[in-house]
Structure formats: structure tokens, C-alpha cells
């Protein structure tokens, strides 16, 4: 596919990703700007959406050469990309059928399908692996990933191949299983590392005997996908007896930032993304909070240039106190996802409820599920086109299949779902129990 890195370029880049932390801030910045120029030229030539955007703003691609020039490029929102047909956003020369496609269905209230080539995926994996090696990942390690299942489990030959090439195996554990079964699965897999949503991890830490958790003899735990509060971290560290490191990732960018192993700040994956923190459209000063806008430096199949990720973070220093050359952020106010405790004693992860609905109802643009009482749930939907009564019945039936007959479920089609007072969009919240109740959120 034209525009896709050659295998040689992937190998060189992977090597660079490993050694870049030693090269210092200047080298990182040079890499970002060189990559930015390639990306802008490519997007203007081959992606109709960006050509039209640049032309409409009278911006010649040659005028975007440095990080400072980047602010000339208008910001693109998820809502804009979500509404565009494939041929507007996938670069000419890439065959969409050969790209991996992931729809951010469960994790975000506003779905978008992110496409990338296999080789682009390898590079982003290398960036993620670098962070894991910094935490103590070793060759031969099994990593158990406790998450909502997507797609088929990997066949055994692929696991073997991965073990040979990368030296590690990822094993998926369904986070919707009852917690004792999740722990039993971990005992079977004997992982050195567990990756988990903070909400599920906190529930395991609260509900399972710590002696059982310590007997797993993990080396460390990483959390991703949702906000890890200090209380959740304390509970998990105490129960498992190992350090918990938080990483900040999204389907759009893969690893955006990872917690400094010496703690305090998050290192930004500067060689994979140009991460801007904007406050009212201007760059936030260190210590100031703002919205994350990212430019994906390895995404040429479906470029994301100044794409508004939407999370709120505090901008940190250039270069971390630990000596790493990466820029830093802190206080990531990403997804806050409440689980739903039901009258029959089950605690349902919201993805369990919404993923089948989203898969069956392509007309859903935005979604919010709110648990008002143990037996009462409301789902707000922004729809296009407007659903028929039959389609709404379908939503009710799919919800009833997950929630059971004891829960009253109501669907509301609304023109818009308002943001929280903090400015965040919270797709799943519970008035019954929330790990995020009372946490101080600032704008
Ligand atoms: Zn550091």
C-alpha cells in the first residue's frame, strides 16, 4: 500500500523507539518536526478531507514545518470525522479492506472507526512495549489483559509467534466474568503482569481476599482506559502487594502517555504523537489544565492531525524530573465509567450493556446510560436518522437481555447530551455507586 512504511522502515523505527530516550529532547523534537512535514504533505496530497480543510483556510501545506506552525492547522473533532464517508478520511493508496478497523464503541459515547495498517500498528505497539519494559517487563512474560472481549481470541500459533518475536504473550480475560472466575483465570495463566480497567481492578481489590491476590505473585499492574483515582490505586496496591502504573491510551493514538516509573508525572509518547494541551484554543502553560489535541505521527492510512481527543489534562514540564526527555502531563481526566450494581447482586460493566446495542443500531450517534436506582436505568440516545418504534423496541429488548426483568429501562431520544459541569462527557454513570463520587474535578 502506497504511503505504508516498508518493513525496513518499521525495523529502523522500532530500533529508534527503543533508543530514543537516550538521545535527548532535541532529537525528539527534530523527529517530530520531520515526521510532521511528511504527514502534512501526505495528508494534503492523498486525503480529501485534509486537502479541503487546508484549501478552505487558505493554508498551504509548506507553511506547516515546525511545531509552532502546527497551530495554523484547524482542529478536527471526532464529530466531524464521524460524519464523513471512508473515502474522505482514508488516504488514497491504502485499501480500506486491508486496514484494521476498530470502532470506539464501548469506550466512548461517540463512536468513530479508526483504521490503520498492520505495520502502523506494529510501530504503536513498540511505543507501548517501551513503556512496559521501563516498568519491568521481561522476555517470556505473560501479560493478562482483563478487558471487554473484542474479536476472536488469538490462535495458538500466533501466540507462539508473538512469544518468539516479541518475547511476551498477551492473554485476554473477559472482564464481564464474575470476579472469582476472573481471579481463577489469572491463577491458570500465571501472568507476571496484569493490565486492567481501574474500575474492574478496584472491584477485585475490594471483593477478593488479598491473600489470594498476593498468591498470584504479579510483578506489576497497569491500568488503562479510565481514570485511576488515588483511592483506587491505594486499594489495588494494598490488595495485590505490587505497584500499579497508570497509562493513558486511546484507540485513536494507542499510547499517549505513561506514568513515570518514578511517579509524579506521565511521560508523553512524543515520538508517536504531538500532544497539545489547549486552554480556550491557546497552549496551556505548565501547571494549567486544558483539552488534549493530538497529531498521530505514525498514522498515514487515516491521518489524525490536530484531532481533539477531548480529555482534560494538566500540562507538565518539558522533560521529566527522572531525566527522561519526554514532555509531561498530569491529572488526566479521561473516561470515568461507573459500573451498574443490580438488585440481583450482579455488577454489570456498562460496555456489556451498550456494546450489543451499538452493534445492532448503526443509527446511534451518541449514547449515555444513567443508573438512577438499583432497579432503574435511563439510556439517552442521539440518533441519525431518527429511529422507528421497532428500532427502539430492539434497544429495549437488548437491554432487558443484559439487565433482567427486575430493572426498569427507559430509552430517550434526545437532540444532544449535555456535558458534565467539569466539561467532560460521561457516557456511563451510576447514582447507586461511583468510584468517582466526590473526586474534585476542575475545569
Ligand atoms: Zn519520569
Amino acid at each position: 500500500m502506497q504511503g505504508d512504511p516498508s518493513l525496513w522502515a518499521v525495523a529502523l523505527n522500532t530500533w529508534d523507539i527503543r533508543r530514543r530516550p537516550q538521545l535527548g529532547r532535541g532529537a525528539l523534537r527534530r523527529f517530530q518536526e520531520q515526521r510532521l512535514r511528511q504527514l502534512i504533505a501526505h495528508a494534503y496530497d492523498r486525503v480529501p478531507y485534509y486537502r479541503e480543510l487546508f484549501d478552505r483556510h487558505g493554508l498551504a501545506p509548506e507553511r506547516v514545518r515546525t511545531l509552532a506552525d502546527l497551530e495554523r492547522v484547524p482542529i478536527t473533532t471526532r464529530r466531524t470525522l464521524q460524519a464523513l464517508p471512508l473515502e474522505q478520511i482514508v488516504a488514497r493508496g491504502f485499501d480500506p479492506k486491508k486496514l484494521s478497523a476498530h470502532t470506539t464503541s464501548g469506550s466512548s459515547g461517540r463512536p468513530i472507526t479508526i483504521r490503520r495498517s498492520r505495520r502502523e500498528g506494529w510501530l504503536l505497539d513498540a511505543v507501548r512495549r517501551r513503556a512496559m519494559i521501563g516498568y519491568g517487563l521481561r522476555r517470556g512474560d505473560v501479560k493478562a489483559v482483563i478487558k471487554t472481549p473484542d474479536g476472536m481470541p488469538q490462535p495458538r500459533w500466533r501466540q507462539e509467534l508473538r512469544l518468539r518475536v516479541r518475547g511476551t504473550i498477551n492473554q485476554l480475560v473477559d472482564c464481564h466474568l464474575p470476579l472469582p472466575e476472573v481471579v481463577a483465570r489469572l491463577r491458570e495463566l500465571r501472568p507476571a503482569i496484569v493490565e486492567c480497567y481501574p474500575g474492574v481492578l478496584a472491584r477485585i481489590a475490594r471483593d477478593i481476599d488479598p491473600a489470594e491476590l498476593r498468591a498470584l505473585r504479579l510483578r506489576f499492574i497497569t491500568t488503562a482506559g479510565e481514570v485511576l483515582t488515588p483511592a483506587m490505586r491505594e486499594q489495588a496496591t494494598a490488595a495485590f502487594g505490587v505497584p500499579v502504573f497508570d497509562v493513558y491510551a486511546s484507540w485513536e493514538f494507542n499510547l499517549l502517555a505513561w506514568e513515570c516509573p518514578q511517579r509524579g508525572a506521565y511521560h508523553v509518547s512524543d515520538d508517536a504523537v504531538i500532544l497539545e494541551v489547549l486552554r480556550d484554543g491557546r497552549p496551556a502553560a505548565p501547571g494549567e489544565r486544558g483539552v488534549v489535541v493530538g497529531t498521530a505521527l505514525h498514522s498515514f492510512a487515516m491521518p489524525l492531525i490536530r484531532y481533539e481527543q477531548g480529555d482534560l489534562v494538566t500540562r507538565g514540564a518539558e522533560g521529566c524530573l527522572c531525566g527522561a526527555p519526554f514532555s509531561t502531563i498530569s491529572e488526566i481526566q479521561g473516561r470515568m465509567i461507573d459500573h451498574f450494581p443490580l438488585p440481583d447482586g450482579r455488577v454489570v460493566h456498562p460496555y456489556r450493556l451498550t456494546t450489543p446495542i451499538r452493534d445492532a443500531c448503526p443509527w446511534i450517534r451518541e449514547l449515555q446510560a444513567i443508573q438512577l436506582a438499583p432497579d432503574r436505568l435511563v439510556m439517552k440516545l442521539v440518533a441519525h436518522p431518527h429511529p422507528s418504534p421497532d428500532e427502539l423496541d430492539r434497544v429495549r429488548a437488548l437491554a432487558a437481555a443484559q439487565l433482567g426483568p427486575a430493572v426498569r429501562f427507559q430509552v430517550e431520544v434526545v437532540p444532544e447530551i449535555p456535558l458534565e459541569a467539569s466539561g467532560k462527557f460521561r457516557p456511563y454513570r451510576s447514582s447507586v455507586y461511583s468510584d468517582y463520587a466526590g473526586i474534585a474535578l476542575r475545569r
Side-chain angles (χ1 to χ4, degrees):
M1 290 183 277
Q2 214 173 352
D4 206 29
S6 65
L7 279 176
W8 176 239
V10 170
L12 271 183
N13 241 311
T14 306
W15 167 251
D16 280 345
I17 285 165
R18 284 283 176 90
R19 71 185 177 133
R20 205 163 274 132
Q22 283 93 54
L23 295 185
R25 188 105 204 109
L28 260 176
R29 213 186 150 93
R30 280 194 296 281
F31 174 78
Q32 285 187 312
E33 293 193 332
Q34 177 215 345
R35 204 76 190 167
L36 175 67
R37 289 191 284 270
Q38 287 171 1
L39 179 71
I40 296 274
H42 163 85
Y44 187 75
D45 278 352
R46 296 177 178 272
V47 184
Y49 165 71
Y50 286 106
R51 172 167 289 242
E52 201 268 328
L53 182 75
F54 275 55
D55 286 349
R56 186 154 32 97
H57 287 83
L59 178 60
E62 305 77 47
R63 287 181 60 211
V64 184
R65 301 192 57 77
T66 65
L67 296 181
D69 296 337
L70 190 56
E71 68 174 24
R72 297 188 173 137
V73 179
I75 287 171
T76 291
T77 63
R78 179 176 294 164
R79 207 174 278 189
T80 303
L81 289 192
Q82 179 192 50
L84 292 172
L86 208 59
E87 56 278 13
Q88 291 282 313
I89 54 178
V90 169
R92 260 186 301 112
F94 284 89
D95 178 356
K97 286 196 286 294
K98 290 191 179 151
L99 300 175
S100 74
H102 186 92
T103 303
T104 61
S105 58
S107 57
S108 149
R110 295 170 183 148
I112 176 174
T113 302
I114 300 298
R115 291 179 164 79
R116 62 174 59 105
S117 77
R118 181 179 283 217
R119 292 174 190 178
E120 290 174 344
W122 290 342
L123 288 175
L124 297 182
D125 285 348
V127 172
R128 201 171 182 122
R129 201 158 53 248
R130 174 177 65 194
M132 295 300 121
I133 291 169
Y135 292 152
L137 180 80
R138 296 179 205 150
R139 269 194 95 76
D141 278 343
V142 172
K143 176 164 98 171
V145 183
I146 306 175
K147 63 176 217 168
T148 202
D150 50 359
M152 300 290 286
Q154 285 207 340
R156 188 154 206 102
W157 67 265
R158 277 194 67 171
Q159 290 181 8
E160 296 283 337
L161 185 71
R162 199 185 149 108
L163 186 64
R164 298 238 163 138
V165 176
R166 295 191 182 158
T168 55
I169 301 183
N170 286 1
Q171 293 278 13
L172 295 187
V173 179
D174 182 353
C175 71
H176 304 305
L177 291 171
L179 299 181
E181 280 179 44
V182 170
V183 177
R185 251 327 254 147
L186 293 180
R187 263 198 304 275
E188 266 167 48
L189 296 171
R190 305 167 64 88
I193 294 132
V194 161
E195 182 184 305
C196 194
Y197 303 126
V200 175
L201 187 71
R203 274 176 50 214
I204 295 175
R206 278 196 295 268
D207 290 6
I208 305 285
D209 179 3
E212 240 182 277
L213 300 178
R214 280 159 189 267
L216 294 170
R217 305 179 72 84
L218 303 178
R219 198 174 311 128
F220 64 89
I221 297 171
T222 64
T223 53
E226 302 162 6
V227 173
L228 176 74
T229 67
M232 291 159 119
R233 185 202 294 275
E234 248 169 64
Q235 282 170 348
T237 309
F240 285 86
V242 297
V244 176
F245 300 110
D246 189 41
V247 307
Y248 172 39
S250 73
W251 281 106
E252 288 92 332
F253 297 99
N254 201 331
L255 188 70
L256 283 147
W258 71 102
E259 197 178 10
C260 172
Q262 296 173 31
R263 300 297 168 78
Y266 290 74
H267 300 166
V268 175
S269 310
D270 291 323
D271 49 355
V273 58
I274 298 174
L275 188 150
E276 298 173 79
V277 182
L278 299 183
R279 194 180 171 89
D280 304 324
R282 309 223 152 267
E288 268 188 349
R289 169 156 291 225
V291 175
V292 170
V293 169
T295 298
L297 296 175
H298 298 294
S299 296
F300 284 65
M302 178 179 160
L304 296 169
I305 301 171
R306 295 202 97 203
Y307 172 85
E308 188 176 290
Q309 179 73 36
D311 299 317
L312 290 170
V313 306
T314 302
R315 195 174 148 215
E318 295 283 298
C320 186
L321 288 174
C322 74
F326 303 103
S327 56
T328 64
I329 54 173
S330 61
E331 293 188 50
I332 298 166
Q333 212 180 89
R335 288 188 286 274
M336 284 170 274
I337 289 173
D338 291 341
H339 299 194
F340 304 141
L342 301 184
D344 61 10
R346 286 181 304 142
V347 181
V348 170
H349 194 289
Y351 297 176
R352 176 119 200 177
L353 173 69
T354 56
T355 305
I357 293 176
R358 176 103 64 197
D359 288 349
C361 308
W363 46 268
I364 295 178
R365 296 288 162 186
E366 288 178 27
L367 170 160
Q368 186 178 42
I370 304 170
Q371 186 182 30
L372 300 169
D375 61 350
R376 196 152 167 242
L377 234 129
V378 175
M379 186 175 281
K380 293 185 180 175
L381 301 174
V382 177
H384 184 83
H386 200 86
S388 66
D390 281 354
E391 283 171 319
L392 288 176
D393 280 344
R394 180 107 209 259
V395 173
R396 289 187 197 99
L398 287 165
Q402 299 298 333
L403 298 171
V407 178
R408 201 144 53 95
F409 177 82
Q410 195 185 332
V411 186
E412 286 175 17
V413 178
V414 294
E416 198 180 4
I417 296 172
L419 299 178
E420 301 279 308
S422 65
K424 276 295 293 182
F425 180 58
R426 282 184 70 176
Y428 313 108
R429 56 177 317 159
S430 172
S431 310
V432 180
Y433 180 83
S434 173
D435 276 307
Y436 301 107
I439 88 163
L441 302 177
R442 6 185 223 121
R443 247 183 190 287

